[in-house]
Amino acid sequence: MHMADALISPPVGGAMWAASIALAAYSARKIEPEIAERKIPLMGVVGAFVFAAQMINVTIPVTGSSGHLGGGMILTILLGPHAAFLVMFSILAVQALFFADGGLLALGCNVFNLGFWPCFVVYPLVFKKIVGASPTHRRLMTGSIVSGVLSLQLGAFCVVLQTLMSGISELPFGTFLLLMQPIHLAIGIIEGIVTAALVSFVWHARPELLELSADRKLEPSMSLKPVLTALAIAALVTGVLLSWFASTHPDGLEWAMFRITGKEELAAPEDGVHATLARFQEKTAFMPDYDFAETSAIQETGIEHSEEDAESWPAVSAGTSVAGVVGGGIVLILAVLIGMSLRLIQRRRGTVTP
Amino acid sequence: MTRIDTAISDIDVLDRLAAGVSPIHRLDPRAKLIVTVLFLLTVVSYRKYEVAELTPLFLYLAVLLALGRVPVLVIARYLLLACPFAVLVAVFNPLIDRQIIAQLGPLAVSGGWMSFVSILIRFVLTVSAVLLLLACTGYVTVCAALDKLGVPRLLIMQFLMLYRFIFILADEASRMLRAHSLRSPDGRGTSLRVWGSLAGNLLLRAYDRGVRVHTAMLARGFDGKFRPLPGFHWSIADSLFVVGSSAFLILVRHGQLATRMGRWALELSA
Amino acid sequence: MSHHIVEVKNLEYCYADGTTALRGVSFRIEHGESVGVVGENGAGKSTLLLHLNGCLLATKGEVRVGDIPVMRETLRQIRRSVGTVFQDPNDQLFMPTVGEDVAFGPLNMHLSPDGVESRVHGALDTVNALHLRSRPPHRLSGGEKRAVAIATVLSMSPDILVLDEPSAGLDPQARRRLISLLSGFKHTKIVASHDLDMILDLCRRTIVMHQGAVVADGPTAALLSDRNLLAKSGLELPLGVQNCPVCGASPSASAIPQI
Amino acid sequence: MSHHIVEVKNLEYCYADGTTALRGVSFRIEHGESVGVVGENGAGKSTLLLHLNGCLLATKGEVRVGDIPVMRETLRQIRRSVGTVFQDPNDQLFMPTVGEDVAFGPLNMHLSPDGVESRVHGALDTVNALHLRSRPPHRLSGGEKRAVAIATVLSMSPDILVLDEPSAGLDPQARRRLISLLSGFKHTKIVASHDLDMILDLCRRTIVMHQGAVVADGPTAALLSDRNLLAKSGLELPLGVQNCPVCGASPSASAIPQI
Ligand SMILES: Nc1ncnc2c1ncn2[C@@H]1O[C@H](COP(=O)(O)OP(=O)(O)OP(=O)(O)O)[C@@H](O)[C@H]1O
Ligand SMILES: Nc1ncnc2c1ncn2[C@@H]1O[C@H](COP(=O)(O)OP(=O)(O)OP(=O)(O)O)[C@@H](O)[C@H]1O
Ligand SMILES: [Mg+2]
Ligand SMILES: [Mg+2]
């Protein structure tokens, strides 16, 4: 399930972009020596394959439902984690650009959710452990299914966290989790089975293509370093941006924290990292007068109120709300008029100078 | 089975639009990319109950739509197709957040409804902005702009290669599905086993093609490094576009345009 | 069995992107006929063939197979009586082994296991490919793949056989074997190809297409020796008719357009 | 410029899976010669061509281009002087637009921007495809793709042109145009194909391969009318030589093996 631009806030989108870019740069550096040999065109066609295969629906026996390939695991198994991550990045970018699936700001989230977990966590820590050095049919099947389920569960959990941290959805943490994880359990099982079917076919037809054999030679053991680095980057950037936002948008963040932790305030250390970061972002904030909007908005329209002071919220000002609706309507009509007249002018000109 | 063809023709539609000529098409892709990102950041920086103040952003879309000669229906179709997840998440807001926060005459509006409408508006704004970028620039040119902006070249090449081979593999896949459907007259979905070998065969062919393409690249002197893509020319128009759009965005973000306009209209009518 | 006719009336087709690929095509093919479809690249041959089994449905006009019009509701019946072999056998062979691939169609027709077995055996025997039965298709040679692809369609015992460029990529002897194989079938046959010599060998009647329309329809021998017609339709005399070293005729040189 | 010779000595090649595709191939091609390579499916034609530009390196034996042996250290020089056009133009066109694709080779040769531009222009002009320059390859017709694929190689101004089945999938007039185009080049040319009539038109000399070995090497006219040789190597008389309907001669019937 793809995160959408409409559901995220800048700090969450920014943090996930930072983590994804860092991972992409790391992966690009990791495979640089290999690409001279053969990986580049292979990455292109295998990525295109996943893209095409995603559109072939498969009927799942017994359930009668149908699903399709997600691709993270199969890419990793075929190309190795680093190339697979880059390929996943490109697939999601194409989907975001051409099919409005996800979005540009949410692309970082989606790459992280759908690429990071299968490539850098589940594959080395789970799939390879299950499949081992001498794969058998059963091990491959088990490995693929378990990995498929795990990657999607982790991805779905991230979607929940990212949505709630963004503070736009009203869903309580627990409810959202209960909604997302079981759905993704089903999707993950389908993804796992489908991946297993594909891996098993390739293993029978052309065993040499499965990366895990080549992998053993190239990378004897994958370190946890990229995993920890990516998580650290994500945490750091989220922290920085969130704390900045905390200073400008107390309502949204505290609301989210409230939802997630059940507590209204997290005890932030008065000194040390937090304070340094706060000072740092005060200097680097690119819209320093954000507060102006904040305060003036509250004064003028009175439509910003956080969850916790909602009880003491009698200040519903009918006048300003109506003004907002009327103004919004006028602006929309203006937009349409401007658009239409611009187009008319263009058409006129177009007929004069073909 | 028609999904592949639909996907390809969707890509095709945007590609054809991108091949057009208009003042927006002529702008430097970097300028368009930067402005689009600023626009998206502006949209998502609003707080969750904001509805009215988001509307002035439609001005930007309207102008781009008109100057870029992009048919509204194309964008509308995408919006309808792409909305499920955002709407699904938003739909819970009115149910959960019932706190009344606004009064429109006799109508009491809860926070949930406000944030619901807000999410929908954000959705329309963000998706349209990205589609407009693509329709007035083209995928390949966007990639070239990213290249000039310093994105790792390996990733750019992956973007371009993927795009190139999507057409070929989608074509192969749809021919295979066609042959498959002719021999399964019942026309039910693909069973798992058949899917496995169908997709497996497609994968083997993709893999072999990868090897052949690699050979063809080597034969033309490829040494693992990609030469830069052709450059662009940044003109005064581009600077004006970036500065003007940024000024507009800042004005909208901090100017309370809709409310002011509404007040003014109400005063006039009173 | 006089109902194995194929009738196309005023067929028009427009692809989703606006390309008009067929502009009013009409013809009628009787039971047992063998008809070639020729024309330059992009003339609409493949598009036409895709209408005969309902893979594409007419934008305007009508296609009838036997007495049944081709439409969404009749696809099942149509696809049982029309067997189509596409240009690239790789598209057609998607199961893990040749045997399973040939059995795929009959299984989907819900035949008994014995029925399926006899169909598979019969079809593979017809194309001389019984020995390939347990091999995976991606390890076969080009000619073998082609033969098996035909078997996958024969196993559904269609009344009408539709072939799109069956000789592409085959070496001369494999091509010759294919021609003898096909000319042994008693099915109604419709063959699209650039290989005019094969059409000359295989089909009594030929339909010449150009830019989505039928520009000529008649006996192969007459049409494929009509230099003006061929030159107009992006074709040229079949090679067997050019430059005969026995009689020294070199009639085609003047028909070749300038580059 | 007597150094555009290609010399293959006792070449053997074995694929990773154990298939021996070449078993001791030797020949020498002089500057400016135009040589056809023919043989049945799987004879080893494509494998041989891949050795000429060092895409495959000999398991045993030697390949020399000019005075340079083909080996890992000399690949750069070799690939500058040998230009290879593969069978499927989709494999050859991997850049987003035709112009960039044609520029890919010259850019890899580190030419100046002006140099690249003039190479691209010249190559596209030669194949009459200048108008396609800014089009993406997936929107080209089969013949256009083929022409552009040749241009991508010409832009590197190779001394030797190697082509693998260049006429596959083209309609008769497009094929004829390709033949005239190719026969206008003064390069040393090596062409593998099943289209014996094209070989007859294009190449003075022919190498016949069978199961990985050269079974004949000599003037095209002589070899391609030797029915025994052809029958043994999975070939048959070129169509232009068979069954002339003008004089009614049907000299080849006896050469066709039983199915
Ligand atoms: N999926 C498609 N979408 C849009 N246009 C298409 C599609 N397939 C084919 N066309 C166009 O329709 C026309 C007819 O194509 P078709 O494939 O039927 O020609 P053809 O006679 O089979 O050519 P060839 O000899 O090259 O196989 C061409 O102009 C082609 O570009
Ligand atoms: N990548 C490969 N791995 C293993 N065997 C291969 C590979 N490519 C080709 N072969 C085998 O090597 C032999 C020669 O193949 P090659 O492709 O050179 O034949 P060809 O003469 O070009 O045939 P065609 O006319 O069908 O193109 C064949 O037996 C083939 O199966
Ligand atoms: Mg066709
Ligand atoms: Mg070959």
Side-chain angles (χ1 to χ4, degrees), chain C residues 41-42 44-47 87 164-165 192 194:
Chain C
N41 289 121
K45 304 180 293 296
S46 302
T47 309
Q87 170 169 0
D164 198 352
E165 313 216 12
H194 294 306

Side-chain angles (χ1 to χ4, degrees), chain D residues 162-180:
Chain D
V162 172
L163 303 115
D164 199 352
E165 313 216 14
S167 66
L170 295 184
D171 67 43
Q173 276 181 23
R175 169 182 172 278
R176 180 65 58 191
R177 277 195 294 272
L178 177 76
I179 294 177
S180 332

